[in-house]
Each structure stands twice: as structure tokens, then as C-alpha cells.
């Protein structure tokens, strides 16, 4: 019979692993990091103050102005390069004609002819329903949205437009009409309503395309109900300058 004093002493038990305790510690650590980053960013200022928002708005507007200046500079340089290239590039007349046609289709050359200008504008801030039985407007019902501008541009292309300008910029195949709130962002520049879209082409065909667009018919319902702005002006002759910004194309490639 063995003596109890000779029996091995059991090893002390390790504390059981508790994932929830580790997760709790990680959350507190992350919260502390966020508070520190917020304090370091604010530097004692109110991040929600009107002054902070104004500074952000000023920065955005300044960037837009710089983009406009860079676009103008790029256009001048491109004109000089094109002029030098056409002096003696060894191309045939057929090749020159083909290049001119491609430039025209790409929107980098001016286009002239009869035109329509469509103007879209927000409704008055205090607008009320103009039609009996129509519900009172919500804030989103009173402003121009991205789909409204896109509908106009798409309808004008459908109507055979030979060139389109939104505000003061010519559209090309890679142009994208994007809105944040009621602010238009087009090719790196910012615009506020009213928005003007001008198309060179057959005025009658352009008007028909606008009238037949389901998206624009829906917009017209808001024009009648809440007073959103819609004006169409015809021009006997108008010249749209060529696009002067960068035309670099980037393609996505599959990952191997």
C-alpha cells in the first residue's frame, strides 16, 4: 500500500480560455484608439461646427477651380501638339480624313449647328403641392437628381445629338454625370443648379426624343406637382467647343 505522501502533487490548473474576455479587451482598445484619433484630428475644435463645414466646402471649391485651370492648360498644350503633329506626319489624305472623323466622334473637336438648351432647376424651398390630391413634397422632391440630368443627356443622344455640353463642359464617351446631394460633379469640377444641357442637332428630333423619354415624363410630373424647373430654348446656330481635358483610358485587367 503506497503512502499518500508519496503520491504526485497535481499540477496547478491553467485558467480556462475565455474568448469573450479577449474580445472585450480588444473593443476597449479600439475605442480608445478612435477617441485618441478624433482628439488628435480635432485639435480642440468642434468637428460638427459650421466653421469646419465651411472650410471643407472652401477646399472642395478650390480644388474645382484648380481642375478648371489645369483643364484649360491641358487644352492649350494639346492644341499646340496637334498643330505640330499635322505639319508633316507622313499621313495620307484618307488617313487624315479618318482621324478627323474619329476626333469629331470623340468630342475633341468643335461642333456647330442648330441646338437646344435644356435648363433644370430646383423648386422653391417653400414649394407646396400644386395639384389637388398630391401629397405635400418631401425635400428630395424639390431638387434635381442625378437621374434627371442623365435622362436629359440620354434622350438628347437618342435624338441624334452631334455633340452635348453640360454647363461649360463638352461630354465625351468617358464622361460621367454624377451628383452628390444637389451638387453636380463632372470631370473633376463642381456645379450647382440651375443645370444647363446643350445639344447640337436637329431641333425637332431632339424635342421628340425628350418628349418620348419615360424618365423625363416622370420628371415632368414633378414639374407640374411641385414646380421643378424645366425650360427648353432653341438656337439657330451654336458652336460647342471641343473637350479639352485628359482623354487617357484605363482598362480593368483580370487578376491571374
Amino acid at each position: 500500500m503506497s503512502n499518500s505522501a508519496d503520491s504526485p502533487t497535481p499540477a496547478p490548473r491553467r485558467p480556462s480560455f475565455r474568448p469573450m474576455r479577449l474580445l472585450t479587451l480588444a473593443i476597449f482598445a479600439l475605442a480608445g484608439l478612435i477617441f485618441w484619433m478624433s482628439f488628435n484630428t480635432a485639435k480642440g475644435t468642434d468637428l460638427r461646427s459650421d466653421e469646419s463645414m465651411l472650410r471643407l466646402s472652401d477646399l472642395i471649391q478650390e480644388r474645382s477651380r484648380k481642375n478648371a485651370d489645369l483643364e484649360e492648360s491641358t487644352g492649350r498644350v494639346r492644341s499646340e501638339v496637334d498643330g505640330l503633329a499635322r505639319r508633316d506626319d507622313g499621313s495620307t489624305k484618307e488617313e487624315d480624313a479618318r482621324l478627323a472623323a474619329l476626333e469629331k466622334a470623340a468630342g475633341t473637336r468643335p461642333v456647330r449647328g442648330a441646338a437646344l438648351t435644356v435648363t433644370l432647376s430646383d423648386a422653391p424651398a417653400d414649394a407646396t403641392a400644386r395639384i389637388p390630391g398630391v401629397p405635400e413634397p418631401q425635400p428630395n422632391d424639390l431638387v434635381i437628381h442625378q437621374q434627371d440630368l442623365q435622362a436629359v443627356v440620354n434622350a438628347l443622344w437618342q435624338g441624334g445629338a452631334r455633340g452635348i455640353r453640360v454647363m461649360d463642359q463638352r461630354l465625351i464617351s468617358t464622361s460621367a454625370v454624377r451628383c452628390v446631394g444637389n451638387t453636380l460633379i463632372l470631370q473633376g469640377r463642381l456645379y450647382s443648379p440651375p443645370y444647363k444641357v446643350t445639344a447640337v442637332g436637329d431641333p425637332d428630333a431632339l424635342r421628340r426624343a425628350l418628349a418620348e423619354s419615360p424618365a423625363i415624363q416622370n420628371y415632368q410630373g414633378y414639374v407640374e406637382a411641385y414646380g421643378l424647373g424645366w425650360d427648353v430654348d432653341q438656337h439657330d446656330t451654336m458652336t460647342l467647343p471641343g473637350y479639352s481635358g485628359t482623354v487617357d483610358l484605363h482598362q480593368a485587367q483580370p487578376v491571374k
Side-chain angles (χ1 to χ4, degrees):
M1 183 174 180
S2 63
N3 191 333
S4 61
D6 296 333
S7 61
T9 302
R13 294 184 58 187
R14 292 178 177 272
S16 59
F17 179 68
R18 298 182 180 179
M20 289 303 297
R21 178 179 297 177
L22 182 60
L23 179 59
T24 301
L25 291 175
I27 291 174
F28 277 112
L30 179 60
L33 177 61
I34 292 174
F35 283 129
W36 178 84
M37 292 178 65
S38 177
F39 172 79
N40 191 55
T41 300
K43 298 296 186 182
T45 62
D46 182 2
L47 292 177
R48 294 188 177 185
S49 68
D50 292 339
E51 182 180 354
S52 297
M53 295 302 296
L54 286 174
R55 286 201 299 269
L56 178 59
S57 176
D58 291 342
L59 288 173
I60 294 173
Q61 294 294 338
E62 178 62 24
R63 175 57 61 182
S64 179
R65 287 190 291 269
K66 287 183 178 179
N67 287 343
D69 293 340
L70 289 172
E71 181 179 314
E72 183 179 351
S73 175
T74 300
R76 289 196 301 268
V77 173
R78 180 183 295 121
S79 297
E80 294 175 4
V81 171
D82 291 345
L84 292 172
R86 289 190 177 91
R87 285 184 179 180
D88 185 13
D89 59 0
S91 61
T92 65
K93 291 183 178 180
E94 291 77 10
E95 290 171 338
D96 290 340
R98 182 182 178 188
L99 177 61
L102 291 173
E103 289 175 337
K104 184 176 180 180
T108 57
R109 287 289 173 264
V111 60
R112 180 179 176 83
L116 288 184
T117 295
V118 179
T119 303
L120 303 174
S121 55
D122 293 344
D126 59 349
T128 58
R130 297 182 172 188
I131 302 176
V134 173
E136 289 303 311
Q138 300 298 314
N140 279 338
D141 298 330
L142 305 179
V143 297
I144 306 301
H145 292 282
Q146 177 176 307
Q147 62 264 27
D148 303 325
L149 277 168
Q150 289 175 337
V152 172
V153 170
N154 291 338
L156 293 173
W157 284 129
Q158 186 68 30
R162 296 189 289 117
I164 295 179
R165 179 179 66 191
V166 176
M167 303 303 278
D168 58 350
Q169 292 199 71
R170 180 79 174 273
L171 297 187
I172 60 175
S173 59
T174 57
S175 300
V177 176
R178 294 285 184 265
C179 290
V180 177
N182 66 335
T183 300
L184 168 64
I185 302 176
L186 179 60
Q187 293 160 173
R189 295 168 60 185
L190 300 179
Y191 301 93
S192 298
Y195 300 121
K196 292 184 179 293
V197 183
T198 301
V200 169
D202 179 359
D204 292 335
L206 295 175
R207 286 183 183 275
R208 282 196 302 270
L210 291 171
E212 293 172 358
S213 166
I216 294 179
Q217 292 171 8
N218 179 68
Y219 177 83
Q220 293 288 356
Y222 285 84
V223 172
E224 296 177 4
Y226 303 125
L228 284 173
W230 173 266
D231 292 299
V232 180
D233 298 315
Q234 184 168 329
H235 313 280
D236 294 333
T237 304
M238 178 170 283
T239 299
L240 300 185
Y243 174 72
S244 59
T246 179
V247 292
D248 292 339
L249 297 179
H250 301 278
Q251 294 180 331
Q253 295 182 351
V255 178
K256 296 181 180 180

